[in-house]
Amino acid sequence: MKEPSSNKLLKLFLYITVFAILAPMVIITLWAFTNQWSWPSLLPTSYSLRAIKEIFAPYGNVFPILLSSIFLSLTVALLSAIIAIMAARAVVFYDFFGKDLIDFISMAPNLVPSTVFAMGIHVAFIKMSLANTPLGVIIVNLIYTLPYTINIMKNLTESIGKDLEQQAYVLGASPWKAFLHISFPLLLPGIIASITMAYIISFSQYFVTLLIGGGKVMTFSMIMVPFIAKGDRTLGSAYALVFVLSTLIVFGLINLILKKFQKRKEKYNWN
Amino acid sequence: MELELKNISVTLSKKEILKSINLRVEDGEFISLLGASGCGKSTLLKTIAGIIKQREGSILLGGKALDKVPPHKRRTVIVFQDFRLFPHMTVAENISFPLKMLGLHKDKCRERAVELLKKVKLEGFKDRHVDEISGGQKQRVVLARALAAEPVVLLLDEPFSSLDINLRKDMRELVLDLQKEYKITTILVTHDKEEALTMSDRIAFMHNGEILQYDTPENIFKNPVNTIVADYFAEGTYISGEIKGNRFISRFFNVDINRDDGKYKCLIRPSALKVNKAEDGKFQVVAKIYQGDNYLLKINKINSSLKLESILNEPLDIKEGDKVSIELDKDKLIFIPE
């Protein structure tokens, strides 16, 4: 039985969460259209479209960079999810020498400060001529996203287990088909979570991408962060707004595509 | 098709689970692997299906070696105790799954699934989700799904142990009916002696990774090769003695028996003992336990350490503490060579 008081507490928690997300959004939106906002007025004292004009200006190259940045992060997210599925299966289902070490190493990028980690990788990447290339940026982003995606997939893979796949084998399914028809649909929620997580980590990555990309690989964060750092709040907010909106659109699309995939599968089976 | 196991040994994480198993199952035969949990019977089933690889030995199906055939091409279908229905599919989708793997057209799959649902008496359940049906119904769906895979050998891994006792009888009958109809070579793994005795053509009794005896239910019950097998079916009292010139001689009684000479243990199961009330009886009833259909009497020989048990079918006028005389049913005595 739920007690009414715990229900109230839950509601309060919900409101706080919504507020914590919505309030900054409202402020960012206001700032993006602000010309002057001096203390102590509650609202901006004058508005302007300066930031919007700047973003849409053809010389700014904002949208080509945004698109290539989305593409880069999506690549990272998909690769990260695929590697995580395989790594999770390896760690959960098989016993091999050094399994615990691999389990630990997959967490390492989160344990060492990212700056330290990135410096080391930079040196290594220069030696391998991966520095200043999109491939290098993708790889370094992958290293940062994998701890999260592997953990998501590991827990889910553990809970689903191998029994159902075994049953599928004896019913005539090859290992690949057993995975595709049985485990994959059951892993789908985790796959969506992994892709979303990896995307947002990669898309907001600034320092590491800057270092490894060497300014040759431009991402949206790299044009946004300087404005925030410089203190141009209006432009910074406008970029942040684009950042959030584009991410929401991408998430919406990912959900839509995967849900369609599920629905199509259902239809196929029902007929 | 007939199945033959030759010297199958299995080692799992450095522990020897199966030790040189030899077994032959004829085409269309129904056999049981009987034994206590941990004796390796489920491992043997998984080895036949190819989920576990044997360290040594060979599996022959219809005379052809299966050793290099992957599980999904063996057509040895396991029905597991925990059902293992695919949770993201409906009843019909579950049954269609092996058909889809066989490459059947989806209309055909649907048709066959409905047909199989009828066979297991679950018409009208095809669009139910697998979470919405009861344990007994799940078992039927699992059976239908196994049949859909067109098994050459059907492997049942304690399929009834998660069902209510009332349901088990129905399910056993259904399985036997289907097995006869499709004439599938079937191996049932069970720890339930009654299940093994009533259902199978032959029983392979397993203990510590070995088959101790492989015989018909009647023979294995009446002529167990050793005390482990004998005790599993029905416990009783052992009396050591010797057979000489077709006569069993022991401290307590002598009886004529047509056996080779040698040392034997005679097992007296409760069913082999008849009790009569007698004032001058040499035995005394120490306990009378009600068991539903009958009573179990525990009897001690006066001034002796000999303890016996007997079954009393009618609530005769025998009470705890009464003196009784006993009568042995010679045909029900079991002699095990030492």
Side-chain angles (χ1 to χ4, degrees), chain B residues 17-29:
Chain B
I17 308 287
L18 296 177
K19 300 161 191 165
S20 198
I21 298 276
N22 285 294
L23 189 73
R24 191 183 157 85
V25 189
E26 300 301 334
D27 186 22
E29 200 179 13

Side-chain angles (χ1 to χ4, degrees), chain A:
Chain A
M1 275 298 282
K2 263 185 205 162
E3 284 185 25
S5 64
S6 80
N7 226 338
K8 260 183 200 164
L9 211 68
L10 209 71
K11 260 187 187 162
L12 184 72
F13 182 71
L14 189 76
Y15 289 140
I16 291 174
T17 313
V18 169
F19 182 76
I21 293 168
L22 280 186
M25 284 304 299
V26 171
I27 294 171
I28 281 177
T29 314
L30 279 176
W31 261 112
F33 296 96
T34 294
N35 187 30
Q36 230 180 1
W37 194 347
S38 45
W39 196 83
S41 10
L42 205 58
L43 286 171
T45 33
S46 68
Y47 296 92
S48 89
L49 288 175
R50 175 176 73 89
I52 305 303
K53 275 182 190 153
E54 180 105 349
I55 285 177
F56 281 95
Y59 59 82
N61 244 354
V62 173
F63 284 91
I65 290 174
L66 178 66
L67 279 180
S68 76
S69 196
I70 288 173
F71 182 73
L72 184 110
S73 294
L74 269 180
T75 311
V76 169
L78 282 176
L79 284 175
S80 187
I82 292 168
I83 295 169
I85 292 170
M86 298 197 286
R89 284 180 73 84
V91 173
V92 173
F93 293 149
Y94 301 101
D95 251 332
F96 50 87
F97 181 74
K99 177 172 152 171
D100 291 339
L101 187 73
I102 287 182
D103 217 10
F104 173 74
I105 284 178
S106 72
M107 287 302 295
N110 280 9
L111 299 175
V112 183
S114 66
T115 355
V116 177
F117 194 76
M119 300 297 261
I121 283 190
H122 193 209
V123 176
F125 274 23
I126 289 171
K127 280 186 189 155
M128 291 187 275
S129 16
L130 278 170
N132 306 342
T133 64
L135 184 64
V137 173
I138 288 174
I139 291 172
V140 84
N141 272 303
L142 268 177
I143 294 170
Y144 276 91
T145 58
L146 278 174
Y148 300 95
T149 52
I150 288 178
N151 265 302
I152 293 172
M153 295 318 295
K154 209 172 76 183
N155 290 338
L156 199 60
T157 306
E158 234 159 30
S159 73
I160 292 171
K162 219 182 177 179
D163 290 355
L164 289 175
E165 274 191 31
Q166 254 177 18
Q167 177 72 74
Y169 297 159
V170 295
L171 289 172
S174 64
W176 169 243
K177 276 192 172 163
F179 173 76
L180 200 70
H181 290 283
I182 308 300
S183 293
F184 183 73
L186 296 174
L187 287 171
L188 207 56
I191 294 172
I192 293 176
S194 292
I195 291 178
T196 321
M197 190 81 174
Y199 178 85
I200 196 72
I201 291 169
S202 163
F203 197 64
S204 46
Q205 201 62 253
Y206 170 69
F207 175 73
V208 176
T209 308
L210 179 69
L211 192 72
I212 303 295
K216 294 233 166 88
V217 182
M218 288 299 283
T219 64
F220 191 73
S221 295
M222 284 163 63
I223 48 174
M224 171 177 78
V225 173
F227 287 109
I228 298 172
K230 262 191 328 199
D232 188 337
R233 276 200 197 160
T234 305
L235 257 178
S237 299
Y239 276 107
L241 207 57
V242 174
F243 182 103
V244 171
L245 286 177
S246 74
T247 307
L248 279 179
I249 291 169
V250 169
F251 286 180
L253 285 176
I254 292 173
N255 250 320
L256 213 70
I257 291 167
L258 288 175
K259 277 214 180 112
K260 260 222 171 109
F261 172 81
Q262 251 177 330
K263 247 187 207 151
R264 212 188 49 200
K265 213 176 157 290
E266 233 165 73
K267 249 184 203 158
Y268 167 77
N269 278 324
W270 275 84
N271 286 331

Side-chain angles (χ1 to χ4, degrees), chain A residues 163-164 166-175 177 181-182 185-186 266 268-271, chain B residues 49 51 72 76-78 80 83-89 93 97-98 100-101 106 127 145:
Chain A
D163 290 355
L164 289 175
Q166 254 177 18
Q167 177 72 74
Y169 297 159
V170 295
L171 289 172
S174 64
K177 276 192 172 163
H181 290 283
I182 308 300
L186 296 174
E266 233 165 73
Y268 167 77
N269 278 324
W270 275 84
N271 286 331
Chain B
I51 295 176
H72 65 278
T76 46
V77 178
I78 306 185
F80 290 99
F83 304 137
R84 302 197 185 177
L85 285 166
F86 303 132
H88 56 299
M89 299 180 184
E93 284 163 11
F97 180 78
K100 213 158 87 182
M101 295 301 114
K106 56 184 172 184
D127 294 331
R145 184 178 65 176

Side-chain angles (χ1 to χ4, degrees), chain B residues 101-314:
Chain B
M101 295 301 114
L102 286 170
L104 252 70
H105 188 265
K106 56 184 172 184
D107 295 339
K108 201 86 185 158
C109 286
R110 192 83 179 152
E111 207 177 286
R112 184 99 180 88
V114 171
E115 213 174 281
L116 281 163
L117 273 173
K118 213 170 168 183
K119 283 262 187 261
V120 296
K121 303 181 181 74
L122 273 185
E123 294 113 312
F125 279 76
K126 62 182 180 0
D127 294 331
R128 289 284 189 95
H129 200 266
V130 290
D131 293 338
E132 300 166 347
I133 57 177
S134 70
Q137 289 163 343
K138 278 181 188 166
Q139 180 75 78
R140 286 163 194 268
V141 176
V142 171
L143 267 178
R145 184 178 65 176
L147 291 174
E150 295 174 12
V152 174
V153 179
L154 185 61
L155 305 165
L156 307 168
D157 191 359
E158 309 234 7
F160 313 120
S161 56
S162 52
L163 297 178
D164 290 343
I165 294 184
N166 302 335
L167 264 174
R168 277 186 210 173
K169 205 173 143 248
D170 290 351
M171 284 310 298
R172 284 178 195 167
E173 277 165 16
L174 179 68
V175 167
L176 282 178
D177 287 349
L178 291 171
Q179 194 262 343
K180 287 209 179 84
E181 188 182 336
Y182 287 91
K183 295 188 184 65
I184 308 170
T185 311
T186 305
I187 301 178
L188 169 76
V189 157
T190 180
H191 62 263
D192 184 336
K193 59 189 181 222
E194 256 165 63
E195 205 164 277
L197 288 170
T198 54
M199 290 184 80
S200 18
D201 298 322
R202 280 194 285 176
I203 298 173
F205 185 87
M206 286 187 72
H207 181 74
N208 276 342
E210 284 172 294
I211 292 179
L212 297 185
Q213 190 168 5
Y214 184 36
D215 218 328
T216 60
E218 256 192 338
N219 259 331
I220 207 166
F221 189 82
K222 283 187 179 163
N223 300 309
V225 291
N226 60 28
T227 56
I228 299 168
V229 182
D231 284 342
Y232 200 89
F233 285 100
E235 291 191 345
T237 307
Y238 287 101
I239 291 169
S240 299
E242 205 175 351
I243 291 178
K244 248 187 207 167
N246 289 338
R247 191 163 173 78
F248 177 77
I249 299 157
S250 75
R251 264 175 64 207
F252 299 103
F253 67 96
N254 304 328
V255 64
D256 286 331
I257 179 87
N258 197 8
R259 285 283 192 112
D260 293 339
D261 287 0
K263 289 206 172 214
Y264 282 85
K265 266 184 178 172
C266 176
L267 169 62
I268 306 170
R269 285 178 174 153
S271 57
L273 198 68
K274 243 180 110 181
V275 173
N276 294 310
K277 201 171 172 180
E279 282 305 319
D280 56 347
K282 290 184 178 116
F283 290 83
Q284 192 173 28
V285 176
V286 291
K288 185 178 176 185
I289 300 159
Y290 182 57
Q291 304 193 119
D293 282 339
N294 50 38
Y295 292 88
L296 179 76
L297 289 185
K298 294 196 172 200
I299 307 158
N300 284 5
K301 193 175 184 195
I302 298 165
N303 299 326
S304 160
S305 61
L306 182 64
K307 288 176 183 171
L308 293 169
E309 286 180 349
S310 174
I311 297 285
L312 199 62
N313 282 315
E314 286 124 58

Side-chain angles (χ1 to χ4, degrees), chain B residues 4-72:
Chain B
E4 200 175 353
L5 309 182
K6 281 185 174 167
N7 289 319
I8 293 289
S9 296
V10 169
T11 308
L12 292 176
S13 27
K14 290 181 184 164
K15 226 181 123 195
E16 197 170 28
I17 308 287
L18 296 177
K19 300 161 191 165
S20 198
I21 298 276
N22 285 294
L23 189 73
R24 191 183 157 85
V25 189
E26 300 301 334
D27 186 22
E29 200 179 13
F30 191 119
I31 75 145
S32 293
L33 294 176
L34 180 68
S37 49
C39 72
K41 51 195 197 303
S42 291
T43 307
L44 184 57
L45 216 59
K46 285 181 184 162
T47 311
I48 295 170
I51 295 176
I52 293 174
K53 294 250 176 302
Q54 71 264 30
R55 180 171 52 82
E56 262 173 42
S58 186
I59 300 166
L60 302 172
L61 186 61
K64 279 183 199 148
L66 272 187
D67 309 321
K68 286 192 178 124
V69 181
H72 65 278

